[in-house]
């Protein structure tokens, strides 16, 4: 049996494969602030085309693409609607307040999934006492919702709700390819539904870093200025963009394998006495809760001692994420380690 560590903390832990490194080493590069990096230009064109939008912008992180989008869409004093589990609210350092001067109205969705009715109820009336609601942000898949998915119909309905009410709508699509692959839907239907889309190349797609912000030419033009303002203008970053092109060509359809392995672990867990509940596994994220009388510290130490790394999201609540470094042997070993705990 192999003893390689099984790192299920996140799908961000992957390292570039030899084939991806080859693509990176042979990249043609230039100064992207002058618009002269052919590999970045190619990645941006490719991303925009895949998502059915006019233009794209390559940024160092998904936090930056989300924050630029919010900053471009809203004015200080505006309000952004998102689910209470949203990354932009929980995990971006308070950036919506700090960067955009906007407040947030939280929706209590089901596993991170908001309905049009919930959004409608959260829109402030036109009243000088109230913040001006101007943006809806949708997260697909929802990370804290356990990798839950908005279907294409659900995304369409939210888009219509936003537009009927003259709101902008942003998609935090850090893992949107996980959703699309699982739904068996084409990506190019998304561009017209959203005013902006952020996708992470460094999650399940396996690059060392990088995210794309996608939208209209006008929006991306303003975002390019904002990226510079935020210190995100990069020079010969084509070496990294080459990894992104490689990932979009090779690592999208295989995401289904990650979903199957996450489900395999979840179904083995169902028969374990010390687990109180498991969130449904729709994609590559598995969130479960330990029984109240189980010491989480002891459980996580058992996993660590046996080479399985996980993270705690909340007390008794643990997350596992499958990704391209997790193979069948590791999946089987994870299940064996879980069964050995008592
Ligand atoms: C990871 C993630 C991001 C962006 O995170 P970075 O680490 O800054 O790239 C945004 N939204 C969601 C839902 C994420 O999971």
């Amino acid at each position: 049996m192999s003893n390689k560590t099984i790192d299920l903390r996140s799908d961000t832990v992957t390292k570039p494969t030899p084939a991806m490194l080859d693509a990176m080493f042979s990249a043609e590069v230039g100064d992207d602030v002058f618009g002269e990096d052919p590999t970045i230009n190619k990645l941006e064109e490719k991303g925009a085309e895949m998502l059915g939008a006019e233009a794209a912008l390559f940024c160092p992180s998904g936090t930056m693409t989300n924050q630029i989008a919010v900053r471009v869409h809203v004015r200080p004093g505006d309000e952004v609607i998102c689910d209470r589990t949203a990354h932009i609210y929980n995990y971006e350092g308070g950036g919506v307040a700090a960067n955009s001067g906007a407040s947030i109205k939280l929706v209590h969705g089901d596993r991170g999934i908001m309905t049009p009715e919930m959004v409608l109820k959260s829109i402030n009336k036109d009243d000088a006492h109230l913040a001006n609601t101007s943006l809806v942000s949708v997260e697909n898949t929802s990370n804290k919702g356990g990798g839950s998915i908005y279907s294409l119909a659900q995304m369409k309905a939210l888009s219509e709700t936003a537009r009927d009410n003259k709101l902008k709508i942003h998609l935090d699509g850090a893992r949107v390819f996980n959703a699309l692959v699982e739904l068996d839907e084409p990506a190019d239907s998304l561009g017209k539904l959203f005013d902006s889309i952020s996708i992470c190349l460094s999650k399940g797609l396996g690059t060392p870093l990088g995210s794309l912000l996608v939208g209209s030419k006008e929006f991306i033009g303003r975002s390019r200025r904002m990226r510079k303002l935020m210190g995100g203008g990069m020079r010969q970053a084509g070496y990294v963009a080459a990894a992104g092109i490689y990932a979009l060509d090779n690592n999208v359809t295989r995401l289904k394998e990650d979903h199957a392995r996450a489900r395999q672990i979840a179904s083995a867990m169902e028969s374990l006495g010390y687990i109180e509940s498991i969130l449904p596994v729709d994609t590559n994220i598995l969130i479960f809760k330990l029984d109240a009388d189980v010491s989480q510290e002891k459980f996580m130490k058992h996993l660590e001692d046996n080479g399985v790394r996980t993270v705690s999201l909340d007390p008794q609540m643990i997350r596992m994420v499958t990704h391209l470094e997790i193979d069948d042997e590791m999946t089987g070993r994870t299940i064996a380690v879980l069964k050995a705990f008592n």
Side-chain angles (χ1 to χ4, degrees):
M1 206 155 90
S2 157
N3 59 3
K4 217 173 141 208
T5 299
I6 303 168
D7 197 340
L8 297 169
R9 287 173 302 165
S10 174
D11 47 9
T12 55
V13 301
T14 57
K15 295 181 182 146
T17 58
M20 184 179 277
L21 283 172
D22 274 349
M24 295 170 75
F25 275 119
S26 55
E28 241 189 281
V29 299
D31 189 331
D32 182 53
V33 174
F34 295 138
E36 290 174 1
D37 189 302
T39 308
I40 293 182
N41 293 341
K42 190 174 159 198
L43 172 65
E44 290 178 346
E45 278 162 32
K46 188 181 179 68
E49 194 188 315
M50 277 177 92
L51 290 159
E54 286 175 0
L57 181 70
F58 184 50
C59 291
S61 73
T63 298
M64 187 180 275
T65 45
N66 280 337
Q67 290 298 320
I68 289 174
V70 175
R71 178 80 191 262
V72 170
H73 288 313
V74 314
R75 290 161 171 261
D78 280 1
E79 191 156 86
V80 180
I81 296 174
C82 66
D83 187 78
R84 62 180 162 169
T85 59
H87 196 280
I88 66 159
Y89 173 69
N90 290 287
Y91 303 122
E92 299 187 6
V96 171
N99 294 318
S100 300
S103 60
I104 293 184
K105 177 91 76 130
L106 293 178
V107 167
H108 289 225
D110 174 25
R111 295 175 59 215
I113 305 297
M114 306 183 289
T115 62
E117 293 69 35
M118 293 171 184
V119 169
L120 270 177
K121 262 195 260 167
S122 306
I123 301 171
N124 289 336
K125 289 193 296 277
D126 185 8
D127 174 332
H129 293 89
L130 307 174
N132 174 47
T133 307
S134 61
L135 176 68
V136 181
S137 182
V138 177
E139 188 174 308
N140 195 12
T141 66
S142 161
N143 174 12
K144 239 189 155 185
S148 52
I149 297 177
Y150 285 90
S151 69
L152 202 56
Q154 285 171 307
M155 288 190 278
K156 272 192 187 137
L158 285 175
S159 171
E160 277 166 22
T161 302
R163 285 174 178 165
D164 287 349
N165 290 278
K166 301 199 166 46
L167 309 179
K168 298 284 186 198
I169 182 162
H170 171 69
L171 174 63
D172 178 356
R175 294 187 182 82
V176 77
F177 283 110
N178 292 85
L180 292 167
V181 158
E182 195 58 34
L183 293 166
D184 222 355
E185 295 282 4
D188 64 3
S189 55
L190 296 186
K192 60 180 180 301
L193 299 182
F194 296 96
D195 297 293
S196 53
I197 302 173
S198 160
I199 63 164
C200 282
L201 300 164
S202 61
K203 300 272 165 84
L205 299 184
T207 77
L209 68 135
S211 283
L212 281 173
L213 182 60
V214 178
S216 68
K217 276 200 181 116
E218 193 264 343
F219 169 81
I220 292 298
R222 292 172 66 198
S223 296
R224 200 174 287 280
R225 294 184 71 89
M226 197 55 73
R227 183 185 66 175
K228 192 77 181 104
L229 181 154
M230 289 182 173
M234 298 181 286
R235 305 294 178 178
Q236 289 76 23
Y239 292 114
V240 190
I245 294 171
Y246 178 89
L248 291 173
D249 283 336
N250 296 283
N251 292 347
V252 173
T253 47
R254 64 151 306 287
L255 291 169
K256 267 208 155 157
E257 298 172 28
D258 300 339
H259 305 173
R261 292 190 179 106
R263 282 198 190 102
Q264 210 183 320
I265 298 171
S267 80
M269 248 178 208
E270 278 164 19
S271 60
L272 299 176
Y274 58 85
I275 289 176
E276 185 189 289
S277 56
I278 311 170
L279 286 187
V281 177
D282 293 333
T283 51
N284 68 328
I285 300 177
L286 163 53
I287 295 177
F288 58 96
K289 199 167 182 187
L290 297 171
D291 274 343
D293 60 355
V294 175
S295 154
Q296 177 175 331
E297 206 185 325
K298 199 176 137 214
F299 174 73
M300 287 179 73
K301 186 173 183 311
H302 165 82
L303 295 186
E304 288 269 349
D305 289 349
N306 289 283
V308 179
R309 307 193 70 184
T310 57
V311 289
S312 167
L313 290 187
D314 282 316
Q316 300 299 92
M317 186 90 91
I318 291 165
R319 187 185 76 171
M320 292 181 171
V321 187
T322 53
H323 50 75
L324 52 74
E325 289 179 8
I326 304 300
D327 58 17
D328 287 336
E329 186 275 331
M330 288 169 154
T331 305
R333 195 143 50 90
T334 301
I335 292 169
V337 171
L338 286 167
K339 284 185 174 162
F341 180 74
N342 52 39

